[in-house]
Amino acid sequence: MAELLIRNAFVIDPLSGIRGEIKDIAIRDGKIVEDTGANAEVIDAQGCLTLPGGIDSHSHVCGTKVNFGRYMSPEDMRAGRTSRKGVMHVTSGYSVPTTFGNSYRYSTMGYTTVLEGAMAPLEARHTHEEFTATPHQDMLANTLFDGNWSVMEAVRDKDVKRAAAVVAWTLAAVKGFAIKLTNPGGTEAWGFGKDVHSIHDTVPHFGVTPAEIIDTMIRANEILNLPHSVHLHCNNLGVPGNYQTTLETIERVPDLHARRQTLYLTHAQFHSYGGSTWKDISSKSEDIARMVNARPQVAIDMGQVMFGRTTTMTADGPMEFKLYMLHQNKWSNHDVELETGSGIIPVFYSRKSLVNCVMWAIGLELALLTRDPWQCMLSTDNPNGAPFIKYPEIIALLMSRRFRDRESELLEPRTGHYVPLFAIDRELDWYEIAVMTRAAQAKALGITSIGKGHLSPGAEADIAIYPLKPQEIDPSAEYKQVMAGFGKTRYTIKRGRVVSRDGEVVVEGANSTIWTKARIPPELDLSSDPEFVKKFEQYYTVRMSNYPVQDVYLPRGVCIGTEASL
Amino acid sequence: MRVILETKPRKKPKIPIEAEAIIPQNFLLKNDIRVYEGNKERTLDEIFYVTTEGPAVSADQVEIVLSGETGVIKRVGEYMNAGRIVIEGDIGMHCGNFMSAGEIIIRGNADAWLGREMRGGVIRCEGNADHYCGAGYRGEKRGMRGGTIEVLGNAGDFTAEYLSGGEVRIMGDCGDLPGVEMRGGTLIIGGDCHRPCGNMTGGTCMVFGTARALLPTFVNAGSEEREFCGQRVEMNVFRGDVANRGKGTLFVRKK
Ligand SMILES: [Zn+2]
């Protein structure tokens, strides 16, 4: 029995209602327990901030498009190299590092669970292979259904049950975790040489609208009783004036779940633009936040932009093509048969660009104007807004008005006319940061019941101890220490084992992949449905029997089984 | 100063050697020079018999002579900024990567990526060069930006891909797609080639042999005389690649 006792920890555990008290944490065999025996190994936390392991609910770290980002950016690969050291593999890359690079950098920041934001079902094997090489985090995969032909046919036929059946079959086949809709209908419309500019535009050939896809998938998701809600990347990403589309989308969301949101809107920053062109783009964060405050059935993540070099990558092919037309730099677009697409381009967010400064401000505004931190999670849509290694800086900005004011002096001088940020006094506290970086994510993803995101007995012993003493430090003034502290844990503990210490990775690590399987009545099982089978026979480049991801790809799979309400 | 590096016999002579440290400035500074044999770090004298003759006060005065089984040695001359390297035989991949000044002479053949993303200086290869001579690495938007590469033999496919400046001169034939994505600089091909200059947006390419499978997206813009090896040659002039709104110039010898 491996036992570990953490003494004198300043614990904030929002899901257990602990808002900051000095406590001991007892661990046995990878789980939190009431107490340990006399022989337990002891860590003295010395009053340092101790939180459940960080959870990133939207990040792009594994899979084909991430890998293409690596492949097309040799300059990114040359940046951020570290050599082999002890148990650490060689790493390289800055915005799209190698898998071990991602894993070690997350680990030293105290993150123990990461959700890959977009996995194309057809290309799931690649994602799972990279998951096994991201050893310090438990991984989950949002699975793309935005342009899925079978789904759109079910939407056209107003057949929610069939949509649910497609989702159930596909998630189980590709070992996915949740439904992701990226620019629903938009990428498929683009495949037909068209585009959708509102949620009421029709997707050619299928005759469905994004609004209908979203409505149907929300209901299908809840019929299947999946742990997470539908995870939506709204239509019109990055388009000036798109906040209207976002508001319209949120307005449609019913409240169907007691314990979590009914719709998760990712990287809300990219969807909160006013104006009509790049010249008069402005922040509409106040409108979006007001709407979110009024609708507890939605949750958002920030999608914060930070200045510097990064790589954008999304299943939103048409959006990336538009970016390419703007930058004329290197670019990749990719079509995934009957499912979705993707695009990748490198970008540089500059303080000299008014547009970029407005984007930077919007993300922070969303976090500061959303009243309930459980509804707005910290993210950069890694690496789209910035590489996740910028999280500590974002935390410091949210906790310190002084830091924001100091930053404002470096921005494009007109920025203040287009954003409300500098009129906002709010400074988030330690508790709110703890919510926004782990507890809210665990709740939103529906993984608290498997012991994620909290430290009550029975939970997974995933813990981050930061070299920060909340009782001694004033984050408003000492934002630099806050930034440094969140950048490097004193200890990151994964399943009861110290995996990194003071920024040094100390074990090889072995993660789990969490996936969902909804049990549906046999008459809805699509395995022998003639229409569904025909898709594989006529259109897919792979046979149906070769499509599912075999168990061997998930050496430590954790399946969350649900019973569909059918 | 003259540094002579002669390869020692190795148990497994096919294991490549990564030798980006072999550049004149490192010998001038008397740096502790390490190379990799496969994934094992080695000191220079584990791989070579090292002889040093004479003094040098600047890197310009350093000449490195490599001999023996040099065809498996990669990245010689990477980031070189002065001096001279003479390779008595063949050289491995990525010779002269990013070099900015100085001179590299190769008496034998060069493997792929000779002078990749080179900024300045001179490379002269007396044998053949393999694929991607003077090109940019995969994913780079610019290949060679300055300096001169001269190959007396033939070159492989994708010669001078993404060429942005400087001059690449291949006296013999080129393979497929020389000058593809070219955006500046000059590419001269003494012999034949296949599908030159696709997606070219700028720069000048001259083919003094036969250009097979010339792309249809080049517009004929008359003819001009050009000189090659002391002879005046009548050339067709093309502009393109119009598929890319390109403003490059492609000269091809008239039959
Ligand atoms: Zn994303």
Side-chain angles (χ1 to χ4, degrees), chain B residues 79 96 98-101 115-121 143-147:
Chain B
Y79 289 108
F98 305 108
M99 86 183 258
S100 55
R116 158 162 85 81
E117 290 158 64
M118 171 175 178
R119 267 80 160 170
M144 176 172 163
R145 300 180 200 182

Side-chain angles (χ1 to χ4, degrees), chain A residues 58-60 65 116-118 180 182 231 233 237 266-267 270 301 313-315 380-384:
Chain A
H58 191 103
S59 176
H60 301 275
K65 70 181 176 330
E116 161 56 45
K180 170 79 184 295
T182 293
H231 194 113
H233 153 145
L237 181 143
T266 189
H267 40 70
F270 289 111
D301 73 59
M313 48 180 64
T314 157
T380 57
D381 188 18
N382 167 68
N384 286 299

Side-chain angles (χ1 to χ4, degrees), chain B residues 62-216:
Chain B
V62 178
E63 180 184 76
I64 303 167
V65 179
L66 278 154
S67 64
E69 296 300 318
T70 49
V72 292
I73 306 178
K74 298 178 185 176
R75 297 168 67 191
V76 168
E78 183 170 294
Y79 289 108
M80 162 172 180
N81 59 17
R84 197 172 130 96
I85 299 177
V86 178
I87 298 137
E88 298 290 1
D90 299 343
I91 192 66
M93 288 194 277
H94 296 287
C95 176
N97 276 354
F98 305 108
M99 86 183 258
S100 55
E103 188 184 13
I104 299 178
I105 309 284
I106 303 155
R107 306 265 184 237
N109 301 322
D111 207 334
W113 309 102
L114 176 66
R116 158 162 85 81
E117 290 158 64
M118 171 175 178
R119 267 80 160 170
V122 176
I123 297 178
R124 185 182 160 93
C125 171
E126 295 178 1
N128 301 322
D130 211 321
H131 304 316
Y132 293 103
C133 170
Y137 197 59
R138 296 190 181 100
E140 283 298 343
K141 289 290 282 184
R142 292 209 275 171
M144 176 172 163
R145 300 180 200 182
T148 308
I149 300 178
E150 187 176 32
V151 177
L152 300 186
N154 303 324
D157 300 339
F158 299 102
T159 299
E161 184 191 39
Y162 283 110
L163 181 68
S164 303
E167 184 175 306
V168 179
R169 178 186 282 266
I170 311 294
M171 302 309 281
D173 300 337
C174 276
D176 198 14
L177 294 166
V180 63
E181 300 280 2
M182 214 176 129
R183 41 179 56 195
T186 308
L187 170 61
I188 294 166
I189 301 169
D192 303 342
C193 68
H194 193 248
R195 298 197 294 175
C197 297
N199 266 0
M200 164 188 223
T201 51
T204 305
C205 172
M206 297 186 217
V207 183
F208 289 96
T210 305
R212 290 187 304 273
L214 192 66
L215 296 165

